Amino acid sequence: MMIRNNFAIILAERQLRITRVANDTGISRTTLTALSQNSTKMVQIETVNNLCMYLDISTQEFFSFIPIDVNFNVYVGELDENQYEATHLLEYDLSGFMNIKTKQKKLILPLIGGITDIGTVSQQTDINQLDSALKLKDEDDINILEKYICPLSTAFKADIQNILVETAKKAISKEFDNNDISFTNNIFDVN
């Protein structure tokens, strides 16, 4: 089940800065920054308690919950030799699965895409630019995405997109050394 905190939203609504909250509560700026970016895997109960007391909110207001889990598997495929012969660009297949788990169902949606090796980023380095993209395989999968994921808040969608990007970058980094990897689409772009 996905849980995220609403700390960044609360800060914005109240026009509070992390520095001020850190000074007022004694909680480190590093901890507060990680909380505001929802990038922490674990938060101490004492920290949540202090923030809820400081902000005069309940834990239900501090956290949001959706009864769904989403994760991804991403795999790098072979060089597309036909594409290379036609364009002289190095293109590789990229595939994977979007795993959606609810209380009642476990869904596995296939993803397809590719990686294009654009070439070196600059003449001063030997770092190559890799553009990558993944999308749902067919219309039925898009309908499932629209049913389970599209109704979620923008914040939860951003979390899911970030999970996909990080999973894809990990898979690509295992296959290609010394590269700058960009992800050129959003899983929620259904066109």
Side-chain angles (χ1 to χ4, degrees):
M1 306 305 151
M2 291 188 73
I3 297 174
R4 72 179 333 275
N5 72 66
N6 298 312
F7 186 51
I9 295 166
I10 295 166
L11 289 176
E13 288 173 350
R14 297 181 182 195
Q15 298 180 347
L16 287 171
R17 300 255 182 235
I18 287 176
T19 303
R20 178 173 175 199
V21 176
N23 289 337
D24 291 351
T25 63
I27 300 169
S28 77
R29 289 188 59 203
T30 304
T31 298
L32 294 173
T33 299
L35 273 172
S36 73
Q37 296 170 349
N38 269 289
S39 61
T40 182
K41 297 280 184 200
M42 185 173 61
V43 59
Q44 293 184 358
I45 292 174
E46 182 181 341
T47 301
V48 174
N49 184 55
N50 288 342
L51 286 172
C52 287
M53 288 175 48
Y54 174 75
L55 297 167
D56 193 27
I57 59 173
S58 69
T59 53
Q60 290 86 356
E61 293 168 293
F62 189 78
F63 290 107
S64 292
F65 166 79
I66 56 168
I68 192 170
D69 267 336
V70 178
N71 63 52
F72 297 90
N73 302 96
V74 177
Y75 310 97
V76 177
E78 300 295 318
L79 173 66
D80 185 340
E81 302 219 9
N82 293 332
Q83 186 68 22
Y84 179 72
E85 287 177 21
T87 64
H88 296 288
L89 284 175
L90 297 174
E91 293 195 7
Y92 299 83
D93 293 327
L94 193 62
S95 62
F97 299 96
M98 179 180 195
N99 306 296
I100 302 172
K101 182 179 173 186
T102 69
K103 240 180 175 177
Q104 298 85 12
K105 288 187 175 188
K106 186 174 183 180
L107 304 161
I108 301 172
L109 308 180
L111 301 169
I112 56 171
I115 305 167
T116 303
D117 187 338
I118 304 299
T120 55
V121 176
S122 72
Q123 293 179 342
Q124 291 87 10
T125 69
D126 60 348
I127 297 175
N128 279 5
Q129 173 70 43
L130 299 177
D131 284 346
S132 56
L134 277 170
K135 65 179 183 176
L136 292 169
K137 192 171 183 176
D138 61 36
E139 190 69 34
D140 290 338
D141 298 331
I142 292 170
N143 292 335
I144 291 170
L145 179 79
E146 288 175 346
K147 178 180 178 183
Y148 288 96
I149 306 298
C150 289
L152 300 178
S153 71
T154 302
F156 274 115
K157 287 182 190 177
D159 290 346
I160 293 168
Q161 177 68 21
N162 289 337
I163 293 167
L164 171 60
V165 169
E166 290 307 310
T167 304
K169 284 183 176 183
K170 257 186 222 177
I172 294 167
S173 294
K174 286 180 184 176
E175 299 293 326
F176 300 94
D177 291 333
N178 209 22
N179 291 290
D180 179 26
I181 303 165
S182 64
F183 208 78
T184 56
N185 74 311
N186 186 314
I187 192 69
F188 301 106
D189 296 338
V190 293
N191 296 329

